[in-house]
Amino acid sequence: EAYYKVNELNLAYDSYRKVYDKFPMSPLRPYALHRMACINFHLGRFQEAGIKWEDLVRRFQDDVNLPYGVYMLGEMSLRQGEYGKAISFFSQIAEKHELRMDAQFKIIWCLAQQKQDETTVARSDQFLKEYPWGELAAKVHLLKGISLQRMKKFVEANAEYQIVLDQFGNSIYSEKALNLMATSLFQNNQLAEIVTSL
């Protein structure tokens, strides 16, 4: 664990592997397996990481690290563009778990990537009721706005972008909101608004 904390990942991996291989009765085996998967993931060895997390999910179904393994399988699926598979993993994170908010955001992201705009808007509304503040809320407002814009609901889309401008001024999110609002106004042929408002 000390090696892991100071980013000596190869040394950490060897230590975790010894725990996993040499102590079959140890309650630390699932943790060691999870950490080996994390190291593989950080080093870009995604296939090896996936195998280890799948092993964790299959062998240690009652372990406290299981949700982290499931979440990371979802993250890997998302990065590979397998959005449906990613959604199925993220959906398994329990409501009370600390990863729940991130998992819900990732589901919205996947839905938006698949252009399931109505579902994206509905899930965004649910998310914003539970988590109205913070960076993820800003991102969800932007995703909701993009989905509304694709549905040609330009006024509603601009309302989402305006929320980001009001609540997250002088941030990267407000810059994105301004840019998206400009494209929305342009698509809705409100050219004067672009000049006067933006």
Side-chain angles (χ1 to χ4, degrees):
E1 194 68 12
Y3 284 138
Y4 186 83
K5 296 291 186 192
V6 296
N7 218 27
E8 291 285 349
L9 297 182
N10 290 324
L11 293 170
Y13 189 92
D14 289 342
S15 296
Y16 291 128
R17 192 180 62 209
K18 284 175 188 168
V19 171
Y20 189 76
D21 291 344
K22 295 185 177 181
F23 301 94
M25 303 308 292
S26 172
L28 293 173
R29 286 186 81 225
Y31 184 77
L33 184 60
H34 171 64
R35 278 297 203 218
M36 285 191 288
C38 290
I39 291 168
N40 280 328
F41 185 81
H42 288 304
L43 295 176
R45 300 192 293 243
F46 300 124
Q47 186 174 1
E48 291 93 331
I51 290 168
K52 291 203 174 1
W53 275 314
E54 286 170 2
D55 203 21
L56 176 71
V57 170
R58 189 173 53 252
R59 287 182 183 217
F60 304 102
Q61 295 182 359
D62 296 326
D63 187 70
V64 70
N65 294 297
L66 184 67
Y68 297 98
V70 170
Y71 180 88
M72 291 308 296
L73 288 169
E75 184 70 30
M76 288 174 43
S77 298
L78 187 154
R79 290 181 184 214
Q80 293 166 350
E82 298 174 345
Y83 299 117
K85 193 174 174 185
I87 288 170
S88 73
F89 284 122
F90 291 131
S91 297
Q92 294 176 44
I93 305 299
E95 275 189 40
K96 303 284 185 193
H97 198 272
E98 62 183 18
L99 290 173
R100 179 70 173 176
M101 181 172 71
D102 291 315
Q104 291 303 304
F105 168 73
K106 294 291 173 70
I107 289 170
I108 293 166
W109 177 268
C110 291
L111 291 168
Q113 287 292 324
Q114 292 176 308
K115 298 187 177 175
Q116 295 183 30
D117 294 323
E118 288 184 15
T119 310
T120 301
V121 169
R123 290 299 287 259
S124 296
D125 287 337
Q126 288 176 341
F127 182 93
L128 292 167
K129 278 182 191 167
E130 285 187 68
Y131 314 107
W133 305 104
E135 288 190 12
L136 289 184
K139 292 177 182 180
V140 169
H141 279 296
L142 293 174
L143 289 171
K144 182 181 174 187
I146 290 167
S147 294
L148 289 165
Q149 193 173 333
R150 284 196 296 232
M151 294 161 68
K152 303 201 182 310
K153 296 182 176 181
F154 300 112
V155 174
E156 294 93 329
N158 288 339
E160 294 300 317
Y161 303 143
Q162 190 62 53
I163 290 170
V164 176
L165 290 171
D166 293 341
Q167 292 183 7
F168 304 94
N170 297 323
S171 71
I172 189 169
Y173 307 111
S174 62
E175 290 178 27
K176 290 181 187 300
L178 274 173
N179 182 46
L180 289 165
M181 189 181 283
T183 64
S184 175
L185 290 168
F186 185 83
Q187 288 173 347
N188 200 24
N189 207 27
Q190 293 179 276
L191 305 183
E193 284 288 317
I194 295 174
V195 176
T196 56
S197 297
L198 297 184

